[in-house]
């Protein structure tokens, strides 16, 4: 992340864009990169956007003591999906880090 931020500052030192990820197109504006750009860049690294979202929901579940209502509202999840994330999150703390 630090390397990316240095590279970003070197390429676009005067950008008004506050987003961490920017492209040549978004550097001149305040808009985020497009979904296509983000998906394409992540796929080059072998990462799918859905994986990042799932990890983010689980991290939030750990922070809020697995409150399904909070997860439902913050991430616009269905009640059932929020409950499933809330059930999974505590088990992550019990598993050893690989």
């Amino acid at each position: 992340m630090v390397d990316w931020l240095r590279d970003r500052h070197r390429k676009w030192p005067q950008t008004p864009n506050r987003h961490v990820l920017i492209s040549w197109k978004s550097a001149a504006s305040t808009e985020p990169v497009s979904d296509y750009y983000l998906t394409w860049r992540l796929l080059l690294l072998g990462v799918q956007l859905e994986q990042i979202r799932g990890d983010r929901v689980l991290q939030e579940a750990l922070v809020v003591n697995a409150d399904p209502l909070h997860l439902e509202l913050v991430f616009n999840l269905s009640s059932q999906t929020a409950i499933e994330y809330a059930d999974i999150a505590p088990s992550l703390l019990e598993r050893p880090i690989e």
Side-chain angles (χ1 to χ4, degrees), residues 11-75:
K11 288 179 184 172
W12 304 289
Q14 303 299 322
T15 182
N17 198 316
R18 62 181 173 78
H19 298 284
V20 173
L21 296 176
I22 59 175
S23 65
W24 289 105
K25 188 174 181 179
S26 69
S29 71
T30 57
E31 298 298 315
V33 294
S34 69
D35 289 346
Y36 172 79
Y37 175 86
L38 184 58
T39 302
W40 177 75
R41 298 294 289 190
L42 290 173
L43 284 176
L44 289 176
L45 300 171
V47 177
Q48 292 187 4
L49 206 49
E50 294 80 21
Q51 289 172 305
I52 293 174
R53 177 174 166 79
D55 287 349
R56 178 66 189 99
V57 175
L58 286 171
Q59 177 65 32
E60 185 73 13
L62 291 171
V63 170
V64 298
N65 297 318
D67 178 1
L69 180 57
H70 175 84
L71 298 176
E72 186 178 344
L73 295 172
V74 169
F75 294 100

Side-chain angles (χ1 to χ4, degrees), residues 77-88:
L77 301 173
S78 70
S79 297
Q80 184 59 41
T81 302
I83 290 168
E84 290 171 6
Y85 273 111
D87 287 344
I88 293 168

